[in-house]
Amino acid sequence: MENILKNLTIEEKLGQLTMIAPFFYIGDLKKEVFGALTELKLDEEKIFLTGSVLGIQNHKEMNLVQKTYLERSRHKIPLIFMGDVIHGAVTIMPTPLAQACSFNPKLVKKGAQESAKEAMKKGLQVTFSPMSDLVRDPRWGRVNESFGEDPYLNYVFSYATVKGYKSEGLLSCVKHFAAYGLSEAGKDYNTVDLSRLNLFSYFLSGYEGAIRAGADLVMTAFNTFEYVPATTNKYLLKDVLRKKLKFKGVTISDYDSLLQTIKHRSSLNECDAALKGITAGLDIEMASSSYMRCLKDEVKKNPELLKLIDKAVLRVLKLKEKAGLFKDPYRKKDLELNTLKALKTSYDLASESIVLLKNETLPLNKKTKISLLGKYVSEKHVLGPWSWHGDPNKTDELSKHIKAYYKNDSEVFEDYDIEAIKKSNHIVLAIGETREESGEAHSKANIDIKEHHQVLIKKLSELNIPITLVLYTGRPLVITNIVPFVNNILVHFHLGSKTSKVVSDTLYGKNNPSGRLSMTFPKHLGQVPIYYNHLSSGRPYSKTDPYTMKYIDISNEPLYEFGYGLSYSKFKYSNLEITNKEATLNNLPTIKVTVTNESNIKGKTSILLYIKDDFASIARPVKELKQFKKITLKPYESKVVEFKIRKEDLSFYNEKLKKVIEKGTFTVYIEDLFTKFSLE
Ligand code: GLC
């Protein structure tokens, strides 16, 4: 690649650091130009110097763009095509927030493998996934794209997702670096402000998992960090990303996030933004062209810049080499897809991503005369945000799969006629958020379940017919008011192509739910941000002492905490044992717990191991998820599950940002059981 680099003109080098939409190469493509791209300010000659493409509809178009480009290119460096396959390209998997509820990294990896094949068939070499932003505020619309509030889950699922893409040959771009999920007040694109200690302790975890798994690019976030936009933030891009996380791949801005530094009012103009970007370590500028229009003159003023430009271009050339583009610029065009396999994977992953929050009378049986009510009884678009080429017309309605459980339709009523409903002996209410209510630029100030849904539920409850609420939502909602009026609650964060079959199979017990919440459900919006791994504070709540941490109008407890989820089976945890209560770093204990299925229903369950560092040089969370294992138990079967405590389970960043393990006692929790050990 060094030989190619040295033969490039400065214009050609800067072209390699620029990403635009495919439309500019071949005008008759489906126009995908919006925002900053509409003021690209590049003439045709410059357009044919650019190096990477944002989004493409299919392989045929990709070939056409590539061919047209290479015919006009002096240097013959192929274009690289990148796009947003976040949870599936054509076969849509559950959204990442839903996938995280599965606590099943193997399945998440399989989902990524299937998505990778379809993405490459669409002509992509890179996907802008995983989104590894830790989240704590359900008002933010993009919680749906994340793996939730826990740093360990973010690490594990980001790692599994990248490994899944990589195993099929798809390159990946982890985003949004860094801490975009902390957008103030849950308002998208808003200020982010956190300490370096908080960043290191919680918010870096997901990106680190992706990088450890081999993510090829890192996308910078729209937000500031320490008042400097992430896209031009030298501390983030050099000290943290390159030095601390040892990332050697390509950095890319988010959509015109380099020019947005002018609106942040930390760049004076486009050329100032370009200079700040290349100096901070930004390689590719997405959807704007300040590098191409400004840096040639900047190099004349300061030749040192050329070294930075060359390093960035070399990283891009190596990325294209890794993508196999120099060998075959039209790669994977003959890739055969197995859509049935992809759909099966989507079903399996979704069946472990749905969460049972309340259960008095499920599962239903085929003799149950039911009334099917709510938008999602017949809604076909159940794919969630960022479902790219997923075709809602190819998904089934819930009513179709529910009716399949009955010999004839007379047992299933689908209207709001109270008299008709009275003839049924169970009401299934499938309601919630539409896919347009979450995702990018879709934050909400009010996350209550809709008022008219609350009224409907209370009215239906007067009929004294059992009600099952199936909640479709892109985020945790405040559903506190309706819980007493329904008998059963199933929730999911949009499950993708097989949503309707998974919901119906769960209602009738063919699927025994095993999901656990990846994000806390608040009791009231006023509790937000609310997350499980919080600090104790100097005045932790006490019933007896009024001067302790609390609200005077509501309890501190959430409605449903991170990790909560029920099953149709009845699991009992007992005999929590520890091999040694006195431990050293070379002799850390093993924890054993017996899990028994006390029901006649086979089921899966995830055993979550939390640790509390009882005392340390800085305040530490009340508990932290450190390991988990998912097992299946036959009726009345018991298994002993073991966890070997690891050094990484005990380490934390101290006030000097140094990762340390300190002596002292640790408490280990599994469900309601706990034990302690001391570390000498
Ligand atoms: C969007 C999103 C980012 C996405 C990019 C390219 O604005 O912030 O997640 O990958 O632009 O579509």
Side-chain angles (χ1 to χ4, degrees):
M1 294 301 118
E2 282 77 357
N3 285 338
I4 294 176
L5 174 66
K6 67 184 182 198
N7 291 320
L8 295 180
T9 65
I10 179 70
E11 290 84 356
E12 289 169 335
K13 288 177 181 177
L14 297 174
Q16 289 299 310
L17 305 183
T18 305
M19 167 183 274
I20 61 175
F23 170 79
F24 290 101
Y25 304 96
I26 299 186
D28 58 6
L29 287 194
K30 180 174 167 288
K31 194 159 181 171
E32 292 182 340
V33 173
F34 44 84
L37 279 172
T38 57
E39 306 109 44
L40 194 61
K41 301 175 197 161
L42 289 180
D43 62 24
E44 180 142 349
E45 187 211 348
K46 285 245 173 26
I47 280 174
F48 277 84
L49 293 180
T50 55
S52 56
V53 182
L54 170 59
I56 193 78
Q57 288 301 318
N58 53 55
H59 217 291
K60 185 166 165 286
E61 282 187 357
M62 178 264 196
N63 293 344
L64 194 53
V65 171
Q66 190 74 281
K67 184 171 176 296
T68 308
Y69 176 85
L70 289 173
E71 280 166 357
R72 299 182 52 163
S73 161
R74 183 187 72 84
H75 53 53
K76 304 293 178 207
I77 300 169
L79 289 166
I80 187 166
F81 292 75
M82 309 189 197
D84 293 282
V85 172
I86 310 301
H87 55 106
V90 180
T91 305
I92 303 302
M93 303 295 156
T95 65
L97 192 64
Q99 291 188 32
C101 296
S102 72
F103 280 77
N104 191 330
K106 285 195 184 74
L107 261 184
V108 165
K109 179 179 175 186
K110 274 179 76 177
Q113 286 170 316
E114 294 306 321
S115 303
K117 285 181 255 186
E118 292 187 353
M120 292 186 288
K121 183 72 178 170
K122 283 282 176 189
L124 292 181
Q125 288 91 46
V126 180
T127 180
F128 294 132
S129 164
M131 187 268 216
S132 300
D133 304 322
L134 188 133
V135 294
R136 289 176 170 169
D137 192 326
R139 291 173 291 183
W140 194 45
R142 302 196 77 165
V143 299
N144 192 245
E145 301 169 52
S146 81
F147 291 118
E149 71 186 56
D150 180 73
Y152 181 60
L153 278 198
N154 266 278
Y155 184 100
V156 167
F157 287 120
S158 298
Y159 186 94
T161 300
V162 169
K163 284 294 185 189
Y165 293 148
K166 207 172 172 68
S167 66
E168 299 299 331
L170 182 68
L171 304 187
S172 56
C173 172
V174 62
K175 65 189 185 185
H176 307 80
F177 198 73
Y180 179 26
L182 207 52
S183 296
E184 220 159 76
K187 196 162 30 178
D188 208 356
Y189 313 124
N190 199 4
T191 302
V192 163
D193 196 0
L194 72 162
S195 66
R196 293 186 180 188
L197 183 58
N198 194 0
L199 175 72
F200 280 37
S201 306
Y202 300 99
F203 289 83
L204 275 189
S205 190
Y207 315 121
E208 186 166 8
I211 291 167
R212 291 283 169 275
D216 308 282
L217 297 95
V218 169
M219 183 188 292
T220 63
F222 289 128
N223 53 277
T224 52
F225 177 73
E226 295 179 334
Y227 296 80
V228 176
T231 304
T232 55
N233 192 309
K234 211 168 178 179
Y235 171 73
L236 279 185
L237 299 184
K238 291 193 187 289
D239 297 61
V240 181
L241 187 57
R242 299 290 184 195
K243 284 193 196 123
K244 173 180 173 50
L245 298 182
K246 298 187 177 35
F247 178 64
K248 302 206 177 334
V250 171
T251 56
I252 184 169
S253 79
D254 199 340
Y255 196 98
D256 89 337
S257 64
L258 183 58
L259 292 195
Q260 286 171 28
T261 59
I262 300 167
K263 291 192 179 137
H264 278 291
R265 297 188 291 113
S266 62
S267 293
L268 190 59
N269 52 41
E270 293 187 337
C271 292
D272 184 34
L275 183 57
K276 287 188 166 100
I278 197 73
T279 308
L282 177 72
D283 296 337
I284 297 179
E285 176 183 10
M286 182 197 296
S288 54
S289 59
S290 65
Y291 274 19
M292 290 187 83
R293 287 180 292 104
C294 299
L295 289 183
K296 184 178 178 187
D297 290 345
E298 295 297 341
V299 167
K300 284 178 190 149
K301 287 184 254 175
N302 172 8
E304 279 300 296
L305 283 177
L306 191 55
K307 286 187 191 134
L308 294 179
I309 292 166
D310 283 351
K311 279 184 185 160
V313 175
L314 194 54
R315 284 193 285 264
V316 173
L317 294 176
K318 286 180 175 172
L319 182 77
K320 293 184 174 183
E321 184 183 40
K322 201 193 292 189
L325 287 163
F326 286 102
K327 283 201 192 83
D328 172 13
Y330 307 100
R331 67 195 286 276
K332 302 270 184 181
K333 61 177 172 294
D334 305 324
L335 191 64
E336 281 313 309
L337 294 183
N338 179 342
T339 306
L340 284 180
K341 185 164 174 272
L343 285 167
K344 169 79 168 61
T345 301
S346 181
Y347 176 90
D348 292 345
L349 186 46
S351 66
E352 296 198 23
S353 303
I354 192 166
V355 184
L356 181 62
L357 296 179
K358 179 178 181 182
N359 185 24
E360 291 170 359
T361 64
L362 290 180
L364 303 175
N365 66 52
K366 297 173 186 175
K367 294 188 186 59
T368 316
K369 275 190 190 164
I370 63 163
S371 290
L372 274 182
L373 305 176
K375 166 190 172 66
Y376 279 103
V377 169
S378 53
E379 172 61 55
K380 290 174 74 68
H381 203 309
V382 290
L383 303 174
W386 288 110
S387 49
W388 210 29
H389 293 295
D391 181 355
N393 297 315
K394 291 206 176 103
T395 61
D396 303 325
E397 300 95 333
L398 177 59
S399 56
K400 175 191 164 197
H401 286 288
I402 285 186
K403 286 177 180 166
Y405 275 91
Y406 293 84
K407 287 195 177 43
N408 61 58
D409 292 6
S410 64
E411 312 285 292
V412 181
F413 309 102
E414 266 191 84
D415 57 29
Y416 282 95
D417 173 334
I418 289 290
E419 290 316 309
I421 294 170
K422 279 179 183 168
K423 290 190 197 110
S424 65
N425 40 44
H426 198 100
I427 298 168
V428 170
L429 188 58
I431 53 169
E433 283 192 330
T434 64
R435 64 187 277 269
E436 289 80 14
E437 293 183 66
S438 60
E440 182 176 357
H442 286 75
S443 294
K444 284 166 99 170
N446 178 357
I447 56 168
D448 288 349
I449 184 170
K450 292 185 181 75
E451 184 56 34
H452 68 274
H453 285 152
Q454 296 190 46
V455 168
L456 172 63
I457 288 168
K458 285 170 187 162
K459 196 164 164 49
L460 289 172
S461 70
E462 290 161 11
L463 299 174
N464 289 320
I465 299 173
I467 300 173
T468 293
L469 168 65
V470 186
L471 188 64
Y472 293 59
T473 179
R475 56 164 54 85
L477 295 175
V478 174
I479 60 172
T480 314
N481 294 346
I482 58 94
V483 173
F485 297 95
V486 297
N487 302 78
N488 315 305
I489 303 173
L490 278 168
V491 67
H492 65 78
F493 295 122
H494 297 310
L495 295 175
S497 299
K498 301 303 282 181
T499 299
S500 298
K501 179 130 179 55
V502 167
V503 169
S504 55
D505 286 355
T506 307
L507 285 169
Y508 287 87
K510 187 175 176 193
N511 174 51
N512 184 355
S514 62
R516 289 176 177 265
L517 290 178
S518 51
M519 193 173 179
T520 296
F521 268 63
K523 202 175 276 165
H524 189 285
L525 177 59
Q527 296 177 308
V528 170
I530 181 169
Y531 47 94
Y532 86 92
N533 49 348
H534 58 82
L535 302 183
S536 311
S537 88
R539 291 197 172 191
Y541 175 68
S542 145
K543 276 197 195 113
T544 52
D545 178 348
Y547 294 94
T548 54
M549 185 164 72
K550 70 174 185 304
Y551 301 102
I552 58 169
D553 54 354
I554 197 164
S555 79
N556 290 339
E557 302 315 308
L559 184 64
Y560 301 111
E561 183 175 86
F562 167 86
Y564 180 83
L566 302 175
S567 166
Y568 294 149
S569 308
K570 189 170 175 305
F571 295 112
K572 184 176 144 248
Y573 291 78
S574 59
N575 305 333
L576 184 64
E577 295 172 3
I578 183 166
T579 49
N580 48 300
K581 282 187 170 285
E582 275 71 49
T584 63
L585 285 181
N586 298 325
N587 179 27
L588 289 172
T590 296
I591 305 294
K592 294 180 188 175
V593 66
T594 303
V595 187
T596 304
N597 178 356
E598 293 190 328
S599 78
N600 62 354
I601 303 172
K602 179 180 170 188
K604 297 185 181 78
T605 188
S606 307
I607 295 91
L608 278 50
L609 179 132
Y610 293 90
I611 291 183
K612 175 169 79 172
D613 190 341
D614 295 333
F615 165 79
S617 56
I618 61 168
R620 305 275 292 112
V622 293
K623 66 177 185 178
E624 297 177 280
L625 178 69
K626 290 298 181 184
Q627 295 187 48
F628 60 86
K629 289 183 179 176
K630 192 161 193 176
I631 62 171
T632 301
L633 287 174
K634 298 190 194 82
Y636 309 111
E637 182 186 15
S638 280
K639 278 183 184 168
V640 176
V641 180
E642 289 194 10
F643 296 94
K644 173 75 182 147
I645 300 298
R646 309 162 302 185
K647 288 180 184 168
E648 70 223 59
D649 298 335
L650 309 180
S651 63
F652 66 94
Y653 287 98
N654 68 11
E655 57 195 313
K656 295 187 178 61
L657 295 184
K658 193 165 168 296
K659 199 149 198 187
V660 296
I661 299 176
E662 294 179 351
K663 291 177 181 170
T665 62
F666 294 84
T667 307
V668 179
Y669 299 93
I670 293 179
E671 297 296 322
D672 299 336
L673 306 176
F674 71 91
T675 183
K676 281 181 175 296
F677 67 91
S678 66
L679 179 69
E680 289 312 317

